[in-house]
């Protein structure tokens, strides 16, 4: 595994350098080791889908074989990636513009240049190698050079930086975007003060924390001093800084902190100032600069605390259960000790999973209390070592919404940390309250994020106007309206999805009628489920539902519906990626609602269920999971995959609505390429559930593959003749199933009668035709236009076993009764190339051939109307197909010869 990474608290230079490095290492994965600067997060909120960054937690550090470090070479600045340095045979490549330091890592390949930005180094290399970059890449790289050089005003700026920026503009960099995300420029006067601060800076190491103290003197008060401090912090990538400035006979202190160990607000209070844990200031009176610095150092020793580690917060001994414990017994233990989660341990030390009270109670309700906890425990969870910091704990509990963390040392659980433990710490010491910052490789995931900019850039003006009208109508009638589901999911993915689903907190049917009146739309209401469909004058449809809670009386039952809130409505949904909503009411228009960490799953490309009994309650979700996994290019979460296997093993399909399964199968077979989903269904033994005779052996695989090729060929003909693809692939799946068993399949899944009759008819006809093809010679040369004279001498083309080759007219009558779906299916099951050629000629040519002579012409020739007309015209069509006649005159001669009056 190859990894490209940079330093903690990433700025634009580190992020852009990583993206540029991937041009040189196309197989490497981009992973940030920690948080990003706010302006970088703001940029990523709009552009994260363009750059494929992965999350640190998804990377097995022990498997990293090549580590590419950019914009840093210091071990202490790469976070958890320092563990990779111990990997056997690891190869390290370094690209950096910083001066050397004692903590530097020795690389196998290093490119170190004294320029203003690491991105400049990559710009030179990319130009030399003539590698193409996109305008988005160029814009990000331009931002990096502007930020690290202070828009070419810092002393570290070189001619190479200017040349790199000029080249990036030629590659399509958007200058307006650069100005949007890069802070305002500093004047020459301000730059001079900033340089003095940098020169005067001292680093104090207190309780293991590096704290920078900088001093300067300014003749008069300046408002921009706080901006200079932030610039200093960004340039040097500092965690903590205290800046003292002597301005107009007073000393001003500006303090900034990124880490919970240093609460700058608390220290500022000692000087008569104040602020927050991360940002504070004060005005210091009656002290000289020397006295102020000495007092500051004393306060730092007083207030800077050692890090809170997992070992200090964890609880032990641990209450646990072995994997074979029944769910019912586990629930009794949870109740006895008034706890909500139990770790499932093997040999009393290895953590296999977690089982929660919510899961045990629901499983018991569904009659699953005697099953082992290992069947429904959560296996997708994070663990921490005893040396994990408070920031690590906050990330798991707050960012990843994991309530219970096992603390593990040498593969053995030694304690647990719960959400309550963290809350108790935060309540006792508010300075620990987490700031809105990232401690992993992705931009900040906010539960309530403003999506207005994304709506404006991704949707048409008409769609935005429609959403606003929906919200305004809801507000007028005291309802809350939300856009939900796939529409929101694909909006975040920057993909178009015009399936608009609206959820109303209130009476969805009543709202639909009011909205329909306002939009002059047709309304079709379903009172039983509190849903409605609106059809606008232009044909666009809107699905409207009442926010509801569904529960299941027994596994695989139809849901019982009750009115609910948007949160419970989203919780009832199939997967986290579909459990997002956007406010549409005017007062909160565009605000994203994310209760279940759904955005992370979209960015991690993971499909996860919202609770462990999801597939037990509704097994049709298994088919939906397979379809979404293949359609979106996502992966099933490990726990979700395990739960699918459990549901199949339990055979929860027995008590089901067959039509619902058939609907899901139909959607899968309608996908542009359903083969990956069919193979995945086979992986979960779902084909056996459809019918035991459906076995994905080499013959069936070949039929499916050929059917897909035939479907693609038919689509490329651009015929204005509709074809239902799902019927084609259903016929292919049932190719090796007998007609009688196919009938049983259709009855089992409540296939509509018209489709049942169609499937049986096409299946029987195609089976008969393949037998004809196998017993008759099909000579494609003989069927071609060029061999017209050869057709007239059919006796010359004989085969002892198969007789004369099939004439075009024989192929015409053989295939004439098949539907488009049947023809494509027939091509898929026909093994010989000559047979496929015959079908192709029929579809593209033979079926379009008509006689020039019509019934009226026969009347004029003196023939009496009646059954004879059909006989003559059919015989004439055969002659035309076989090339025996071409012109109308030849047709008249043929008729007179074969049917004298």
């Amino acid at each position: 595994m190859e990894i490209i990474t940079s330093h903690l608290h990433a700025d634009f230079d580190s992020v852009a350098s990583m993206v540029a490095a991937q041009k040189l290492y196309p197989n490497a994965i981009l992973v940030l080791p920690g948080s990003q600067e706010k302006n970088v997060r703001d940029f990523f909120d709009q552009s994260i889908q363009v750059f494929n960054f992965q999350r640190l937690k998804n990377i097995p550090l022990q498997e990293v074989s090549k580590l590419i470090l950019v914009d840093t070479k210091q071990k202490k600045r790469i976070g958890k990636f320092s563990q990779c340095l111990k990997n056997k045979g690891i190869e390290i490549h370094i690209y950096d513009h910083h001066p050397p330091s004692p903590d530097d890592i020795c690389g196998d390949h290093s490119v170190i240049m004294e320029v203003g930005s690491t991105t400049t180094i990559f710009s030179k290399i990319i130009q030399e190698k003539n590698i193409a970059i996109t305008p988005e890449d160029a814009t990000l790289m331009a931002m990096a050079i502007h930020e690290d050089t202070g828009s070419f005003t810092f002393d570290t700026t070189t001619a190479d930086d200017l040349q790199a920026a000029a080249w990036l503009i030629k590659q399509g960099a958007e200058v307006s975007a650069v100005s949007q995300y890069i802070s305002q420029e500093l004047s020459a006067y301000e730059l001079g003060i900033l340089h003095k601060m940098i020169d005067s800076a001292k680093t104090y190491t207190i309780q293991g924390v590096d704290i920078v103290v900088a001093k300067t003197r300014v003749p008069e008060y300046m408002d921009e001093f706080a901006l200079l401090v932030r610039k200093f912090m960004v340039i040097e990538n500092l965690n903590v800084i205290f800046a003292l400035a002597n301005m107009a006979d007073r000393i001003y202190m500006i303090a900034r902190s990124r880490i919970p160990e240093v609460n700058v607000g608390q220290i500022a209070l000692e000087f008569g100032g104040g602020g927050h844990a991360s940002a504070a200031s004060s005005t210091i009176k009656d002290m000289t600069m020397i006295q102020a610095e000495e007092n500051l150092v004393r306060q730092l020793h007083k207030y800077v605390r050692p890090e809170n580690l997992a070992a200090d917060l964890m609880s032990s001994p641990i209450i646990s259960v072995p994997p074979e414990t029944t769910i019912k017994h586990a629930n009794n233990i949870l109740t006895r000790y008034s706890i909500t989660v139990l770790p499932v341990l093997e040999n009393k030390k290895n953590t296999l999973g977690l089982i929660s009270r919510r899961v045990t109670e629901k499983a018991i309700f569904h009659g699953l209390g005697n099953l082992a906890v290992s069947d429904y425990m959560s296996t997708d969870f994070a663990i921490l070592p005893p040396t994990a910091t408070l920031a690590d704990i906050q990330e798991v509990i707050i960012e990843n919404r994991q309530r219970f963390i096992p603390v593990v040392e040498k593969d053995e659980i030694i304690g647990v940390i719960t959400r309550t433990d963290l809350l108790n710490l935060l309540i006792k010491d508010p300075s620990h309250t987490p700031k809105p910052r990232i401690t992993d490789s992705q931009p900040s995931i906010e539960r309530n994020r403003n999506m207005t900019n994304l709506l404006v850039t991704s949707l048409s003006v008409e769609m935005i106007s429609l959403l606003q009208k929906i919200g305004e109508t809801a507000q007028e009638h005291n309802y809350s309206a939300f856009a939900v589901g796939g529409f929101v999911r694909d909006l975040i993915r920057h993909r178009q999805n015009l399936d608009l689903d609206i959820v109303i907190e209130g009476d969805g049917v009543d709202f639909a009628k009011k909205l329909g009146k306002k939009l002059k739309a047709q309304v079709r209401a379903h009172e039983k489920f509190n849903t409605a469909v609106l059809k606008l004058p232009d044909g666009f449809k809107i699905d409207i539902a009442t926010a509801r809670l569904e529960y299941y009386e027994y596994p695989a039952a139809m849901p019982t519906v009750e009115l609910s809130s948007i949160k419970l409505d989203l919780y009832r949904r199939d997967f986290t990626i579909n459990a997002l909503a956007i406010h549409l009411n005017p007062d909160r228009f565009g605000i994203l609602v994310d209760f279940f960490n759904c955005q992370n799953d979209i960015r991690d490309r993971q499909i996860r269920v919202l609770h462990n009994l999801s597939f037990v309650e509704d097994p049709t979700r298994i088919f939906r999971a397979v379809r979404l996994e293949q359609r979106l290019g996502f992966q099933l979460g490990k726990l979700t995959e395990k739960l699918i296997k459990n549901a199949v093993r339990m055979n929860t399909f027995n008590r089901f609505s067959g039509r619902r399964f058939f609907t899901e199968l139909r959607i899968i077979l309608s996908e542009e390429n359903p083969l990956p989903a069919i193979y995945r269904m086979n992986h979960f033994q779902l084909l056996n559930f459809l019918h035991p005779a459906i076995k994905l052996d080499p013959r069936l695989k070949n039929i499916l593959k050929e059917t897909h090729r035939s479907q693609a060929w038919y689509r490329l003909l651009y015929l204005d003749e509709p074809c239902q693809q799902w019927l084609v692939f259903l016929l292919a799946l049932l190719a090796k199933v007998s007609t009688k068993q196919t009938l049983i399949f259709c009855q089992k899944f409540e296939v509509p009668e018209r489709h049942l009759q169609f499937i049986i008819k096409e299946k029987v006809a195609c089976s008969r035709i393949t037998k004809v093809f196998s017993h008759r010679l099909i000579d494609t040369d003989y069927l071609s236009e060029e061999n017209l004279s050869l057709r007239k001498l059919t006796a010359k083309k004989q085969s002892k076993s198969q007789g004369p080759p099939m004439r075009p007219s024989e192929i015409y009558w053989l295939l004439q009764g098949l539907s488009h779906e049947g023809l494509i299916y027939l091509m898929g099951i026909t093994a010989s190339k000559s047979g496929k050629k015959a079908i192709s000629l029929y579809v593209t040519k033979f079926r379009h051939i008509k006689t020039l002579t019509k019934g009226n012409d026969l009347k004029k020739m003196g023939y009496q109307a009646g059954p004879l007309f059909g006989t003559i015209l059919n015989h004439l069509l055969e002659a035309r197909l076989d090339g025996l006649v071409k012109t109308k005159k030849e047709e008249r001669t043929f008729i007179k010869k074969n049917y004298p009056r």
Side-chain angles (χ1 to χ4, degrees):
M1 178 180 287
E2 297 181 10
I3 295 293
I4 299 173
T5 191
S6 186
H7 55 74
L8 300 166
H9 312 300
D11 55 10
F12 274 116
D13 193 30
S14 56
V15 172
S17 296
M18 290 174 65
V19 171
Q22 198 175 42
K23 306 295 180 184
L24 310 181
Y25 302 88
N27 296 324
I29 301 169
L30 302 177
V31 188
L32 284 163
S35 63
Q36 302 93 50
E37 295 292 340
K38 183 181 182 304
N39 53 349
V40 177
R41 296 203 305 271
D42 291 342
F43 173 75
F44 266 148
D45 278 343
Q46 303 299 324
S47 311
I48 183 60
Q49 295 297 333
V50 177
F51 308 104
N52 188 21
F53 282 79
Q54 300 296 314
R55 295 176 67 82
L56 175 59
K57 70 176 185 180
N58 296 332
I59 303 300
L61 297 178
Q62 69 278 6
E63 295 180 16
V64 176
S65 58
K66 181 183 286 185
L67 190 64
I68 300 104
L69 299 178
V70 301
D71 202 36
T72 188
K73 49 187 178 292
Q74 291 180 271
K75 179 180 178 181
K76 67 182 180 182
R77 297 188 69 195
I78 61 174
K80 291 183 179 179
F81 279 111
S82 60
Q83 299 173 26
C84 300
L85 302 177
K86 301 176 183 177
N87 291 359
K88 187 175 180 181
I90 189 168
E91 189 177 343
I92 300 172
H93 292 199
I94 298 173
Y95 298 82
D96 193 20
H97 74 121
H98 292 104
S101 69
D103 189 38
D104 283 354
I105 299 168
C106 182
D108 299 286
H109 171 73
S110 298
V111 179
I112 314 296
M113 294 175 62
E114 292 185 9
V115 290
S117 165
T118 302
T119 304
T120 298
I121 299 173
F122 283 106
S123 297
K124 287 172 67 78
I125 297 172
I126 288 171
Q127 287 182 73
E128 290 167 1
K129 294 183 178 290
N130 198 27
I131 298 172
I133 64 173
T134 67
E136 290 82 5
D137 297 333
T139 301
L140 178 61
M141 293 169 72
M143 289 179 186
I145 296 175
H146 271 270
E147 183 180 62
D148 254 33
T149 62
S151 293
F152 314 109
T153 58
F154 293 165
D155 290 344
T156 53
T157 305
T158 67
D160 288 335
D161 299 305
L162 291 161
Q163 290 169 358
W167 177 74
L168 291 169
I169 290 175
K170 290 180 182 178
Q171 307 311 305
E174 294 185 25
V175 179
S176 60
V178 174
S179 62
Q180 178 183 353
Y181 292 102
I182 302 303
S183 304
Q184 65 189 68
E185 298 181 6
L186 300 180
S187 65
Y189 175 67
E190 291 166 342
L191 281 171
I193 295 172
L194 177 58
H195 291 150
K196 289 179 181 178
M197 288 171 58
I198 293 172
D199 291 339
S200 71
K202 291 182 183 177
T203 300
Y204 295 87
T205 302
I206 299 173
Q207 297 284 9
V209 178
D210 289 341
I211 301 170
V212 171
V213 177
K215 299 173 292 182
T216 189
R217 182 178 296 277
V218 182
E220 56 188 30
Y221 181 78
M222 62 182 301
D223 291 323
E224 295 81 9
F225 184 59
L227 173 63
L228 298 183
V229 175
R230 192 178 71 80
K231 284 279 187 184
F232 187 1
M233 198 173 191
V234 169
I235 292 169
E236 298 297 325
N237 195 33
L238 305 177
N239 282 331
V240 185
I241 182 171
F242 287 83
L244 301 171
N246 194 327
M247 293 188 282
D249 300 326
R250 290 188 180 183
I251 296 173
Y252 293 88
M253 182 176 74
I254 301 293
R256 298 289 184 266
S257 172
R258 287 174 170 154
I259 56 177
E261 289 74 41
V262 181
N263 183 336
V264 295
Q266 197 173 39
I267 295 170
L269 281 173
E270 294 290 336
F271 292 89
H276 302 286
S278 59
S281 62
S282 65
T283 302
I284 303 174
K285 301 176 182 178
D286 304 325
M287 284 190 193
T288 64
M289 180 67 80
I290 295 174
Q291 290 173 325
E293 184 178 5
E294 289 176 350
N295 191 14
L296 174 60
V297 173
R298 281 197 298 271
Q299 300 304 327
L300 290 173
H301 281 285
K302 177 180 177 181
Y303 287 108
V304 175
R305 303 170 307 281
E307 285 189 297
N308 284 284
L309 303 180
D312 304 319
L313 296 178
M314 71 182 189
S315 304
S316 63
I318 306 126
I319 302 170
S320 63
V321 292
E324 63 274 11
T325 304
T326 66
I327 291 174
K328 190 173 182 179
H329 182 55
N331 189 65
N332 291 337
I333 294 175
L334 288 163
T335 304
R336 182 187 311 151
Y337 293 103
S338 298
I339 53 179
T340 56
V341 179
L342 277 172
V344 180
L345 304 184
E346 186 178 46
N347 301 325
K348 296 187 177 181
K349 58 181 182 179
N350 296 329
T351 310
L352 299 179
L354 306 175
I355 190 81
S356 69
R357 185 198 297 270
R358 175 183 286 179
V359 171
T360 59
E361 290 177 348
K362 210 164 198 177
I364 291 168
F365 175 77
H366 287 299
L368 307 177
N370 292 325
L371 294 179
V373 293
S374 58
D375 289 337
Y376 287 99
M377 66 185 181
S378 295
T379 55
D380 189 7
F381 60 91
I383 61 172
L384 290 176
T387 55
T389 65
L390 182 61
D392 296 327
I393 297 167
Q394 288 177 1
E395 177 193 350
V396 174
I397 292 180
I398 298 172
E399 293 287 341
N400 297 342
R401 319 273 172 87
Q402 182 176 319
R403 299 170 175 232
F404 185 97
I405 309 174
V407 180
V408 175
E409 186 174 36
K410 296 180 181 178
D411 296 328
E412 184 173 343
I413 186 169
I414 60 172
V416 297
I417 297 173
T418 67
R419 186 171 63 174
T420 303
D421 295 329
L422 178 62
L423 288 173
N424 286 338
L425 176 68
L426 299 181
I427 290 168
K428 289 175 184 174
D429 189 350
S431 66
H432 284 299
T433 302
K435 299 176 286 298
R437 62 188 183 93
I438 286 287
T439 51
D440 205 349
S441 62
Q442 295 290 10
S444 182
I445 302 299
E446 302 174 30
R447 284 175 62 172
N448 298 100
R449 184 177 137 204
N450 195 320
M451 304 281 285
T452 306
N453 286 341
L454 189 56
L455 288 168
V456 170
T457 56
S458 303
L459 302 179
S460 66
V461 174
E462 293 78 13
M463 177 59 79
I464 294 173
S465 176
L466 176 60
L467 295 175
Q468 289 173 332
K469 288 176 183 176
I470 292 171
E472 290 164 2
T473 305
Q475 189 96 330
E476 289 168 9
H477 300 283
N478 296 319
Y479 293 137
S480 292
F482 302 84
V484 298
F487 176 83
V488 182
R489 176 197 71 213
D490 290 341
L491 182 68
I492 291 174
R493 295 176 62 236
H494 294 262
R495 303 290 189 276
Q496 188 178 57
N497 186 333
L498 297 180
D499 293 333
L500 183 56
D501 293 317
I502 303 296
V503 166
I504 300 298
E505 283 187 332
D507 189 336
V509 174
D510 177 63
F511 170 79
K513 291 175 181 176
K514 289 179 168 60
L515 181 63
K517 186 176 180 180
K518 188 172 187 177
L519 300 178
K520 298 178 181 178
Q522 298 176 21
V523 180
R524 189 172 73 250
H526 304 280
E527 301 283 351
K528 180 181 177 182
F529 294 103
N530 293 313
T531 62
V533 178
L534 264 65
K535 186 175 181 181
L536 302 186
D538 61 0
F540 185 79
K541 292 182 179 180
I542 306 171
D543 290 313
I544 296 177
T546 304
R548 62 189 192 267
L549 171 67
E550 293 177 350
Y551 64 90
Y552 297 76
E553 295 289 353
Y554 53 85
M558 285 294 290
T560 301
V561 178
E562 292 182 353
L563 297 184
S564 179
S565 66
I566 186 64
K567 182 174 183 179
L568 293 177
D569 181 272
L570 294 175
Y571 184 69
R572 74 175 177 81
R573 294 179 181 269
D574 47 12
F575 309 109
T576 56
I577 60 172
N578 292 330
L580 288 161
I582 293 178
H583 282 277
L584 299 181
N585 288 41
D587 55 343
R588 302 202 70 195
F589 185 83
I591 300 298
L592 181 72
V593 178
D594 180 3
F595 294 109
F596 311 110
N597 223 23
C598 310
Q599 296 169 85
N600 277 347
D601 285 342
I602 291 174
R603 289 174 181 175
D604 288 345
R605 307 174 73 82
Q606 293 278 316
I607 294 177
R608 306 180 200 273
V609 289
L610 283 136
H611 60 85
N612 290 10
L613 292 168
S614 182
F615 297 129
V616 173
E617 292 183 339
D618 186 358
T620 63
R621 289 172 175 166
I622 296 174
F623 289 81
R624 223 170 301 151
V626 168
R627 171 168 56 86
L628 287 173
E629 181 187 41
Q630 303 308 317
R631 177 192 286 180
L632 304 178
F634 283 22
Q635 284 187 326
L636 293 174
K638 291 181 181 178
L639 174 62
T640 301
E641 187 166 345
K642 175 194 167 189
L643 294 173
I644 289 176
K645 292 176 179 177
N646 280 351
V648 173
R649 180 171 53 81
M650 287 174 55
N651 197 18
T652 55
F653 309 111
N654 282 338
R655 303 167 71 181
F656 68 92
S657 169
R659 187 169 298 175
R660 295 181 67 216
F661 282 101
F662 179 70
T663 299
E664 292 297 334
L665 177 63
R666 178 173 172 170
I667 297 172
I668 286 175
L669 299 182
S670 298
E671 292 289 321
E672 185 173 346
N673 180 10
L675 297 192
I678 292 173
Y679 298 155
R680 192 69 160 142
M681 287 165 62
N682 183 65
H683 172 77
F684 291 119
Q685 300 179 16
L686 296 176
L687 296 184
N688 184 64
F689 158 65
L690 296 179
H691 196 284
I694 302 177
K695 299 186 183 300
L696 200 61
D697 55 19
R699 172 63 180 146
L700 182 56
K701 276 188 176 181
N702 187 63
I703 288 173
L704 290 168
K705 179 181 174 183
E706 290 300 314
T707 301
H708 177 59
R709 290 178 63 184
S710 302
Q711 177 70 28
W713 163 79
Y714 184 83
R715 196 181 294 125
L716 288 173
L717 294 177
Y718 295 104
L719 301 175
D720 190 19
E721 299 169 350
C723 174
Q724 299 184 77
Q725 177 185 292
W726 70 269
L727 277 169
V728 177
F729 280 98
L730 182 57
L731 283 165
L733 271 178
L734 298 170
K736 298 175 63 184
V737 181
S738 69
T739 304
K740 181 180 178 181
Q741 292 300 317
T742 298
L743 184 61
I744 293 172
F745 166 88
C746 292
Q747 292 169 343
K748 174 182 177 181
F749 290 101
E750 302 175 41
V751 177
E753 183 66 23
R754 69 182 187 281
H755 291 142
L756 185 153
Q757 296 295 338
F758 177 88
I759 291 167
I760 298 298
K761 171 179 168 291
E762 299 296 307
K763 185 177 174 65
V764 170
C766 290
S767 177
R768 174 177 55 82
I769 293 167
T770 53
K771 289 178 182 177
V772 174
F773 279 168
S774 66
H775 290 93
R776 290 292 304 276
L777 177 67
I778 304 173
D779 191 320
T780 53
D781 291 331
Y782 175 73
L783 294 175
S784 66
E785 185 79 36
E786 294 75 17
N787 288 295
L788 178 59
S789 59
L790 187 61
R791 294 184 200 156
K792 296 177 181 178
L793 302 171
T794 56
K796 293 184 179 180
K797 197 77 172 178
Q798 297 284 330
S799 168
K800 290 181 180 179
S801 60
Q802 297 177 303
M806 291 185 73
R807 300 189 307 275
S809 58
E810 290 182 276
I811 292 172
Y812 177 88
W813 293 119
L814 188 64
L815 304 181
Q816 193 257 345
L818 285 179
S819 65
H820 305 307
E821 293 84 0
L823 288 166
I824 299 170
Y825 163 61
L826 178 62
M827 190 174 276
I829 63 173
T830 300
S832 67
K833 290 184 178 179
S834 58
K836 293 181 186 294
K837 177 69 173 179
I839 300 167
S840 172
L841 284 169
Y842 172 78
V843 172
T844 59
K845 184 177 178 183
F846 295 162
R847 68 191 180 109
H848 301 297
I849 293 176
K850 308 293 180 185
T851 60
L852 299 175
T853 302
K854 309 298 179 186
N856 286 334
D857 297 313
L858 293 178
K859 287 180 181 179
K860 291 176 182 178
M861 291 173 66
Y863 292 95
Q864 295 294 320
L868 182 61
F869 271 31
T871 303
I872 294 173
L873 292 174
N874 284 342
H875 194 181
L876 184 60
L877 176 61
E878 290 178 358
R880 192 167 188 84
L881 284 162
D882 294 337
L884 302 178
V885 297
K886 280 190 170 183
T887 66
K888 195 167 185 177
K889 183 178 178 181
E890 289 178 346
E891 287 185 357
R892 291 173 67 90
T893 303
F894 178 86
I895 294 169
K896 289 176 180 179
K897 179 181 177 181
N898 289 280
Y899 298 93
R901 284 176 294 178

